């Protein structure tokens, strides 16, 4: 049957009036996801990142491959992530150093506050430890000893959260601590055990087993509440220095511009995965606990800490590596 010309013209006009059909968006993820870890293997940040990689691999149905890119106070790995395509196939194991590095290292070439937030996976208390045979019985008596003999106090690195604490507490206690930065917490702990340091400020996970085993004793932890990993250790507030209390973190961020829907999906998978009994038990062994926070909570924490830490950096003239 021949369609009348007027009818054909009406059909054509109706077709042209329809919105253009766009090709269907590819399902995400369709291939391996790269997880950049800006520190060397073995530390608590690396361990937490690998636990996230395991959980995400199972939840998302694609391999999440860990790639360690250490150096430059984490800035080499941060820069690599910042340059990556914001397509959901590169994510970054961030930490509290994102809030410090911009203040201590000018001309980074990337904005450490510009990453797309995903999840503050765990809060990481800072802890102060000494050798088990140190004559001090608490932080007050350690400070008294420090007044007669200026102590050498180690940290995992220059411009680390622990370094900021060392500078502030040295001034607050009217003592003269010599800051000794290391390239990683394990080296600092080894020198403390060998008697070459009088104290170490560090992530709790690096020394939990040493404290439990009686090789080290702890004089404070940094949250305002005691930790479940070492419940007998008082907080900084309890020893009279609550104004300096800080808590570090390990978590996940993505290159700037990453789709918030992808970030939300990774967030949900990571939150659920880190609470699996086997993974939660491993985290508890490190002295850290997973959080149940949305991406926005991480973004707010990074920016609030950056404002606070910038003042500490300026006051004490702290510089990056």
């Amino acid at each position: 049957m021949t369609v009348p010309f007027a009818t054909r013209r009406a059909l054509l006009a109706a077709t042209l009036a329809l919105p253009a059909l766009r090709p269907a968006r590819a399902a995400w993820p369709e291939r391996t996801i790269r997880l950049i870890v800006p520190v060397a293997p073995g530390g608590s940040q690396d361990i937490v990142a690998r636990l996230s990689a395991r959980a995400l691999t199972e939840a998302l149905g694609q391999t999440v491959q860990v790639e360690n890119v250490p150096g430059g106070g984490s800035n080499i790995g941060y820069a690599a992530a910042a340059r990556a395509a914001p397509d959901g196939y590169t994510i970054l194991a961030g930490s509290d150093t994102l809030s410090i590095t911009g203040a201590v290292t000018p001309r980074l070439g990337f904005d450490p506050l510009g990453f797309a937030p995903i999840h503050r996976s765990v809060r990481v208390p800072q802890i102060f430890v000494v050798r088990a045979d140190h004559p001090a019985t608490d932080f007050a008596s350690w400070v008294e000893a420090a007044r007669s003999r200026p102590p050498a106090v180690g940290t995992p690195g220059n411009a680390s959260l622990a370094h900021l604490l060392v500078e502030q507490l040295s001034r607050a206690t009217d003592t003269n601590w010599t800051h000794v930065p290391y390239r990683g917490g394990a080296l600092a702990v080894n020198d403390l055990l060998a008697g070459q340091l009088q104290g170490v400020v560090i992530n709790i996970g690096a020394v939990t087993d040493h404290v439990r085993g009686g090789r080290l004793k702890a004089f404070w932890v940094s949250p305002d509440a005691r930790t479940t990993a070492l419940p007998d250790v008082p907080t900084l507030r309890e020893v009279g220095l609550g104004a300096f209390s800080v808590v570090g973190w390990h978590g996940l961020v993505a290159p700037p511009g990453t789709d918030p829907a992808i970030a939300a999906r990774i967030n949900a998978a990571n939150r659920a995965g880190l609470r699996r009994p086997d993974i939660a038990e491993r985290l508890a062994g490190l002295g850290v606990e997973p959080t149940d926070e949305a991406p926005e909570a991480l973004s707010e924490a990074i920016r609030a800490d950056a404002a606070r830490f910038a003042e500490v950096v300026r006051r004490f003239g702290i510089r990056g590596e």
Side-chain angles (χ1 to χ4, degrees):
M1 182 179 68
T2 302
V3 179
F5 176 75
T7 303
R8 282 182 287 155
R9 186 169 59 182
L11 289 172
L12 177 61
T15 300
L16 292 175
L18 292 173
L21 294 177
R22 296 179 180 178
R25 185 176 182 178
W28 178 92
E30 290 190 312
R31 54 186 169 85
T32 296
I33 298 168
R34 178 174 63 150
L35 172 54
I36 294 177
V37 180
V39 296
S44 61
Q45 184 177 353
D46 177 71
I47 293 171
V48 172
R50 291 175 185 275
L51 292 173
S52 285
R54 184 201 307 176
L56 293 176
T57 294
E58 296 180 9
L60 299 175
Q62 291 288 348
T63 299
V64 176
Q65 183 174 324
V66 172
E67 179 182 341
N68 292 90
V69 186
S74 293
N75 286 330
I76 295 176
Y78 288 164
R83 292 191 300 266
D87 55 8
Y89 291 102
T90 297
I91 54 179
L92 170 70
S95 76
D96 43 75
T97 58
L98 281 173
S99 296
I100 303 173
T101 191
V104 300
T105 307
R107 298 182 295 278
L108 280 170
F110 66 92
D111 179 7
L113 307 184
F115 288 98
I118 295 177
H119 185 212
R120 179 162 53 174
S121 302
V122 295
R123 294 173 182 267
V124 184
Q126 301 293 296
I127 190 169
F128 180 73
V129 290
V130 302
R131 273 174 46 131
D133 59 0
H134 195 288
T137 57
D138 55 21
F139 188 59
S141 56
W142 186 90
V143 168
E144 284 303 313
R147 290 200 170 101
S148 59
R149 180 189 175 193
V153 178
T155 70
N158 199 49
S160 62
L161 185 58
H163 181 192
L164 270 60
L165 269 173
V166 163
E167 298 294 351
Q168 293 178 94
L169 296 178
S170 176
R171 179 76 61 87
T173 56
D174 194 27
T175 48
N176 185 23
W177 302 13
T178 298
H179 173 235
V180 185
Y182 287 79
R183 292 188 177 275
L187 297 174
V189 172
N190 288 342
D191 275 3
L192 176 63
L193 290 168
Q196 298 179 35
L197 298 170
Q198 286 72 57
V200 164
V201 179
I202 198 167
N203 292 343
I204 192 172
V207 295
T208 301
D209 288 343
H210 289 300
V211 175
R212 289 172 174 164
R215 294 176 293 277
L216 297 175
K217 53 187 176 183
F219 286 155
W220 52 255
V221 291
S222 63
D224 287 336
R226 296 196 181 197
T227 68
T228 55
L230 297 171
D232 295 332
V233 180
T235 67
L236 264 179
R237 187 169 298 280
E238 288 177 281
V239 301
L241 295 165
F244 306 101
S245 184
V246 293
V247 181
W249 59 271
H250 300 322
L252 302 175
V253 298
T258 297
D259 188 341
I262 291 177
R265 187 171 172 191
I266 299 173
N267 174 282
N270 200 49
R271 287 160 71 176
L274 294 184
R275 293 191 177 279
R276 281 177 22 187
D278 58 327
I279 293 180
E281 182 179 0
R282 184 72 177 94
L283 293 175
L286 292 174
V288 300
E289 296 180 358
T291 76
D292 194 31
E293 297 177 342
E296 295 74 21
L298 175 54
S299 181
E300 292 170 4
I302 291 174
R303 293 185 177 277
D305 284 347
R308 176 183 180 184
F309 297 156
E311 173 59 23
V312 177
V313 168
R314 183 200 61 78
R315 185 186 313 163
F316 294 101
I318 296 171
R319 293 291 178 264
E321 294 182 359

